[in-house]
Amino acid sequence: MADVSSDPGRWRDVDKLLARPGNIVGQDFEPSPTLREDIGEIARVLVVGAGGLGCELLKDLALSGFKNIDVIDMDTIEVSNLNRQFLFRLQDVGKSKAEVAAERVMKRISGVNITPHFCRIEDKDIDFYNDFNIIVLGLDSIDARSYINSVACSFLEYDTDDKPLPETIKPIVDGGTEGFKGHARVILPGRTPCFECNIWLFPPQVKFPLCTLAETPRTAAHCIEYAHLIKWGEVHHGKDFDADDPEQMQWVYSQALKRAELFGITGVTYSLTQGVVKNIIPAIASTNAIISAACALETLKIVSGCSKTLCNYFTYNGTEGTHIKVTDFVRDTDCLVCGPGTLVELDTSTTLLQFIRLVGEHPNIRLSKASVTCRGKNLYMQSPPVLEEMTRSNLQLPVFELIGKVAKDVIHVSGTSEKNDKKTSCLRKLRVVFKGVADGITSMDTTDGS
Amino acid sequence: MIKLFKLKDQKRQDAANSSGNAPVKKQSAGELRLHKDISELNLPKSTIISFPNGKDDLMNFEISIRPDEGYYQGGRFVFTFQVSPSYPHEPPKVKCKTKVYHPNIDLEGNVCLNILREDWKPVLNINTVIYGLILLFMQPNDEDPLNHDAAAVLRDNPRLFETNVRRAMAGGYVGDVHFPRCI
Ligand SMILES: [Zn+2]
């Protein structure tokens, strides 16, 4: 592949966008002939996923002037990826997607530095994510999106008026495709809805009743799910099915085929088996290209301010004709992940028991029988008795000590709230601040948004 | 935001020069919702919940049901719950650990309960699922069979079904399948 990046004309068009003033630019836009270089030097972008969307994203971002890019993906390249994940070749099969993608884009576009991470997103600690200015997602799973969203929101801090502090906003640009459909969205935690604010946008995966699979299969997918969910356990007692093991997948396929023959059902193929078992949605190269282009442009716009950003959810549907729509979703101000929560001031000596009383009496909270959790540690549980017993001794300890002597933190409480004689159970987010404790330099990384 | 990034870069360098941060664990939205569900559990006396990984892992727990009426009276049945970070968007994964002769539970512990799969909705909770499981022992039904043979016996010969359940719970054979004692 010839390297064309040394050609001075390469950046002409991007520079035009970044060097000239305009009327529909972002608030903080300062056009400058060196803006592209500044972006290349300063902005650190993390691309999550190096699959169909990820390949496109890396190429698009690198061609938009971003020079410091990291990419994270735990998958290795499979033959079936080659039709659309255009950075990969047949001889790459079995290698890390992140590593090969990074190498290919760097070879093609000089001056760009892409660091691959061949691991799970959960393997990285939170600080890893805080090093990036913006996170771009090319994922196909809700769990992974939800995880990155909660990580990004955990950096968010609010001032005493519940306004987000701009320097703590970690923008996310999220892309997703499914056949001829796709979406691109911009998440500015604290300003626009986060992933959890409207998780209902993602319909839950269709689940067939187990008894239908066992008794009255009617479709090829029923036969595959039978082999996967029921037959596997019958034959391989206690052994978990590994969807990434081709031999095991082959076994499920052959069992599904037998099942289909028995019931006179057609259409069971190996690739359908993979699709159903791994919940793979069909991917089309051009849809990926459209969505990735939208995401890369939004990334450039957010970083540079050269144009107003997408507000805030773009959908593309090419199933029947072409429909494009932008929806301005609203935030859930009570969102447990991105919302400000309620500010509570405590003394370092306040015990957990006193804190629970305070939560019951605080005019803005009024939560009785509160159970308390902080960063995955259950400090007190009202129920069930087994957990109450395990956490009871915490009641006499100062909250300050229980949460590791930090100046401030986020604590979640669930309990009963009473309004107009009506009792409802709810879960609330509290921003706890300790009086007289110096807010150290690490504060920016310790406020947890989830 | 490029100006903010510059600012942040500076802050990061300052932070790097100061003491390191304490490692931080994330709590997913699913974990929080589960925390609420668990703290509000309202279980019948005969149902026991336990947390094999301790008080800070609510995502994996076990419940043990002892039906106080019906065919399964006096037996004790243990179910494992595995809750994903996208709960309640996704239902919990539930398996029966106790081998049981039951039309709606197969010998591998798969459970046919509509709210665990096709009829799951995020407004449902752990309490609902547990009551659904308890109901399965009060009213086993032959219409959604996972154990085909048990369902056929329940439908055609309820007396024999009752005998088979008793035999299985006492630790014995039904046909050529052995069931460990669970009374
Ligand atoms: Zn939110």
Side-chain angles (χ1 to χ4, degrees):
Chain A
M1 288 186 282
D3 175 16
V4 290
S5 66
S6 45
D7 172 7
R10 149 160 276 184
W11 303 110
R12 190 189 58 203
D13 299 313
V14 175
D15 281 338
K16 271 184 188 167
L17 278 172
L18 300 179
R20 295 174 179 182
N23 293 325
I24 48 164
V25 296
Q27 276 180 345
D28 57 349
F29 182 50
E30 285 179 14
S32 147
T34 61
L35 184 52
R36 176 179 51 80
E37 280 163 26
D38 288 349
I39 289 172
E41 198 182 311
I42 296 164
R44 296 200 59 198
V45 186
L46 175 66
V47 173
V48 186
L53 269 174
C55 283
E56 289 279 349
L57 283 168
L58 288 170
K59 176 255 296 174
D60 289 348
L61 290 167
L63 289 173
S64 305
F66 290 99
K67 290 203 163 111
N68 295 304
I69 305 173
D70 284 44
V71 58
I72 182 166
D73 196 314
M74 63 172 293
D75 281 346
T76 51
I77 297 160
E78 290 182 35
V79 175
S80 62
N81 301 144
L82 300 177
N83 67 339
R84 60 192 184 281
Q85 300 178 14
F86 62 95
L87 296 172
F88 309 140
R89 302 286 172 267
L90 194 56
Q91 64 266 28
D92 301 325
V93 169
K95 291 184 198 162
S96 150
K97 286 187 178 179
E99 286 168 4
V100 175
E103 185 195 310
R104 290 282 143 75
V105 174
M106 282 198 288
K107 210 181 252 175
R108 183 76 169 79
I109 304 164
S110 71
V112 60
N113 185 26
I114 303 181
T115 310
H117 304 270
F118 178 28
C119 62
R120 296 158 51 84
I121 51 176
E122 296 88 351
D123 291 343
K124 295 288 183 187
D125 57 27
I126 303 282
D127 283 344
F128 168 80
Y129 292 98
N130 204 16
D131 273 351
F132 299 97
N133 300 115
I134 188 161
I135 302 175
V136 189
L137 307 184
L139 291 164
D140 57 6
S141 105
I142 288 183
D143 278 348
R145 281 193 180 92
S146 171
Y147 181 81
I148 299 284
N149 179 71
S150 64
V151 170
C153 290
S154 75
F155 304 124
L156 180 64
E157 280 194 64
Y158 286 89
D159 64 17
T160 43
D161 296 325
D162 289 353
K163 294 264 179 308
L165 299 176
E167 68 271 23
T168 65
I169 295 175
K170 179 89 56 200
I172 304 175
V173 179
D174 170 41
T177 72
E178 193 177 326
F180 283 107
K181 293 189 236 170
H183 79 262
R185 76 195 294 190
V186 167
I187 296 174
L188 301 172
R191 289 195 182 147
T192 70
C194 82
F195 183 72
E196 299 295 340
C197 282
N198 34 43
I199 191 170
W200 43 267
L201 283 168
F202 292 83
Q205 188 196 338
V206 178
K207 289 195 161 70
F208 310 118
L210 283 182
C211 34
T212 301
L213 305 182
E215 288 291 305
T216 49
R218 294 182 304 276
T219 67
H222 286 163
C223 299
I224 293 164
E225 281 292 68
Y226 170 81
H228 168 220
L229 296 175
I230 296 175
K231 193 76 188 176
W232 176 269
E234 256 176 54
V235 176
H236 307 85
H237 301 276
K239 184 175 156 194
D240 281 337
F241 174 73
D242 176 8
D244 292 323
D245 181 338
E247 239 172 75
Q248 298 189 14
M249 190 64 82
Q250 189 67 40
W251 187 90
V252 167
Y253 164 60
S254 66
Q255 292 296 321
L257 209 55
K258 273 189 205 158
R259 180 87 174 157
E261 269 167 31
L262 188 67
F263 285 87
I265 295 168
T266 55
V268 173
T269 61
Y270 184 73
S271 69
L272 184 70
T273 307
Q274 272 186 314
V276 170
V277 171
K278 294 173 100 171
N279 190 28
I280 300 174
I281 28 195
I284 294 176
S286 298
T287 314
N288 283 341
I290 291 167
I291 294 304
S292 160
C295 290
L297 275 177
E298 290 310 316
T299 307
L300 181 64
K301 282 155 65 177
I302 292 168
V303 171
S304 69
C306 74
S307 170
K308 282 192 176 162
T309 52
L310 166 66
C311 202
N312 44 44
Y313 199 101
F314 161 90
T315 48
Y316 167 84
N317 189 340
T319 319
E320 290 173 46
T322 300
H323 296 273
I324 288 171
K325 197 176 154 194
V326 171
T327 313
D328 188 0
F329 284 111
V330 290
R331 281 181 70 204
D332 172 2
T333 47
D334 292 331
C335 177
L336 295 170
V337 177
C338 73
T342 309
L343 190 61
V344 180
E345 265 199 319
L346 299 181
D347 291 312
T348 49
S349 61
T350 309
T351 64
L352 186 57
L353 185 63
Q354 289 167 330
F355 173 71
I356 289 172
R357 286 203 192 115
L358 184 146
V359 162
E361 291 158 7
H362 193 291
N364 297 336
I365 312 171
R366 286 195 181 281
L367 213 59
S368 60
K369 290 203 174 149
S371 296
V372 186
T373 182
C374 175
R375 295 192 188 287
K377 275 179 120 176
N378 292 313
L379 304 181
Y380 184 66
M381 295 293 286
Q382 299 274 354
S383 165
V386 55
L387 289 181
E388 199 278 332
E389 226 165 86
M390 282 194 237
T391 53
R392 197 184 301 154
S393 59
N394 283 345
L395 287 174
Q396 305 308 328
L397 298 175
V399 177
F400 184 62
E401 275 172 33
L402 284 170
I403 66 175
K405 297 187 177 172
V406 288
K408 51 182 171 178
D409 209 337
V410 166
I411 290 183
H412 287 91
V413 287
S414 42
T416 321
S417 89
E418 215 171 315
K419 251 187 203 158
N420 311 326
D421 285 343
K422 227 182 112 190
K423 281 187 181 175
T424 46
S425 68
C426 49
L427 178 56
R428 297 282 297 268
K429 174 177 173 178
L430 308 180
R431 270 148 63 213
V432 172
V433 178
F434 292 98
K435 291 178 206 161
V437 179
D439 186 3
I441 197 107
T442 57
S443 68
M444 205 148 102
D445 308 311
T446 50
T447 296
D448 184 73
S450 62
Chain B
M1 294 185 90
I2 190 80
K3 276 200 302 193
L4 279 177
F5 296 168
K6 273 188 207 166
L7 188 81
K8 188 139 189 243
D9 213 34
Q10 191 54 51
K11 273 204 182 180
R12 195 175 58 219
Q13 279 169 13
D14 293 349
N17 294 333
S18 75
S19 59
N21 296 344
V24 172
K25 186 185 174 288
K26 291 280 335 111
Q27 218 167 358
S28 66
E31 254 178 291
L32 289 170
R33 159 65 194 263
L34 185 65
H35 174 263
K36 173 170 171 281
D37 276 19
I38 297 284
S39 70
E40 292 171 344
L41 277 180
N42 186 8
L43 301 177
K45 273 213 170 60
S46 57
T47 302
I48 298 166
I49 185 164
S50 63
F51 299 86
N53 305 332
K55 69 173 179 65
D56 292 332
D57 181 5
L58 304 183
M59 311 291 268
N60 297 283
F61 59 91
E62 291 184 1
I63 65 147
S64 145
I65 294 175
R66 183 189 282 277
D68 47 18
E69 56 179 282
Y71 295 113
Y72 296 91
Q73 187 178 2
R76 185 161 281 294
F77 305 95
V78 179
F79 290 83
T80 56
F81 279 61
Q82 235 187 316
V83 185
S84 87
S86 46
Y87 177 79
H89 194 71
E90 292 285 327
K93 284 199 177 86
V94 178
K95 282 231 167 188
C96 186
K97 245 174 106 173
T98 312
K99 196 168 178 183
V100 56
Y101 179 78
H102 192 296
N104 314 112
I105 301 174
D106 72 15
L107 300 176
E108 301 309 314
N110 295 305
V111 183
C112 190
L113 183 64
N114 61 336
I115 55 170
L116 283 176
R117 292 185 61 83
E118 72 275 19
D119 291 332
W120 172 257
K121 298 199 173 44
V123 295
L124 301 177
N125 57 35
I126 300 296
N127 225 36
T128 344
V129 173
I130 294 177
Y131 277 89
L133 293 173
I134 293 173
L135 194 67
L136 223 45
F137 288 100
M138 303 296 167
Q139 300 167 359
N141 77 76
D142 58 64
E143 282 162 23
D144 302 325
L146 263 188
N147 181 335
H148 187 88
D149 297 338
V153 175
L154 173 63
R155 185 182 57 234
D156 302 331
N157 190 348
R159 292 289 299 272
L160 178 62
F161 180 76
E162 190 175 352
T163 314
N164 285 351
V165 169
R166 289 278 132 204
R167 185 178 297 155
M169 291 200 306
Y173 281 88
V174 176
D176 52 8
V177 180
H178 181 260
F179 293 85
R181 184 179 168 85
C182 69
I183 293 185

